[in-house]
């Protein structure tokens, strides 16, 4: 009798090699709105870990977990609206949501993976 065993893929990636890049800019199509984005990439080879993006025109959220690691929790907070959104994505999952929020509210976005040292976000968005 032979027994075969399998294990998950081995990854040489180290979570400490990932760096956060966050930015915001005036929306080209939503007067007064600010788009915001936060991404995490491996500083050694450019491999993406995750991405969270707020697009002011239409109040669109896009989140993606392209990591070789584990789950990523995404959060979006909208000041003055009393609203918070959460998404929990497994490796390889993406999600887009139209939030339909009123204009003029500050937006804070953050991604918090289950891997330590890799939180990434910005509070530079505006509906």
């Amino acid at each position: 009798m032979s027994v075969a065993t399998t294990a998950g893929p081995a990854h040489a990636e180290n979570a400490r090699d990932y760096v956060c890049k966050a930015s915001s800019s005036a929306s080209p199509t939503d007067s007064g709105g600010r788009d915001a984005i936060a991404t995490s990439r491996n500083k050694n080879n450019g491999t993406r870990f995750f991405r969270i993006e707020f697009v002011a025109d239409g109040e669109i959220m896009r989140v993606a977990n392209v990591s070789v690691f584990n789950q990523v929790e995404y959060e979006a907070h909208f000041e003055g609206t009393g609203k918070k959104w959460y998404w929990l994505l497994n490796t390889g999952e993406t999600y887009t949501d139209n939030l339909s929020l009123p204009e003029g509210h500050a937006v804070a976005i953050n991604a918090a993976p289950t891997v330590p040292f890799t939180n990434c976000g910005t509070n530079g968005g505006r509906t």
Side-chain angles (χ1 to χ4, degrees):
M1 170 192 268
S2 67
V3 176
T5 59
T6 60
H11 299 292
E13 301 283 343
N14 182 337
R16 292 176 188 253
D17 290 337
Y18 282 78
V19 293
C20 173
K21 180 179 179 186
S23 63
S24 68
S25 60
S27 171
T29 56
D30 186 339
S31 179
R34 291 192 65 80
D35 298 336
I37 188 167
T39 59
S40 179
R41 290 185 183 269
N42 186 307
K43 64 185 174 190
N44 300 316
N45 61 24
T47 302
R48 279 181 39 191
F49 185 173
F50 57 78
R51 175 183 176 105
I52 183 169
E53 178 180 15
F54 173 76
V55 179
D57 190 2
E59 291 78 41
I60 304 294
M61 286 296 308
R62 294 186 185 111
V63 291
N65 178 356
V66 293
S67 74
V68 295
F69 299 112
N70 207 337
Q71 293 180 328
V72 179
E73 179 179 298
Y74 299 87
E75 299 178 17
H77 303 268
F78 302 91
E79 291 180 16
T81 67
K83 295 186 179 185
K84 258 185 220 187
W85 274 265
Y86 295 93
W87 301 268
L88 183 61
L89 274 62
N90 292 310
T91 298
E93 293 182 327
T94 61
Y95 190 75
T96 300
D97 201 356
N98 182 336
L99 305 179
S100 298
L101 293 165
E103 298 294 320
H105 294 280
V107 177
I109 57 176
N110 188 58
T114 54
V115 178
F117 313 113
T118 55
N119 279 15
C120 185
T122 178
N123 62 357
R126 182 169 279 298
T127 60

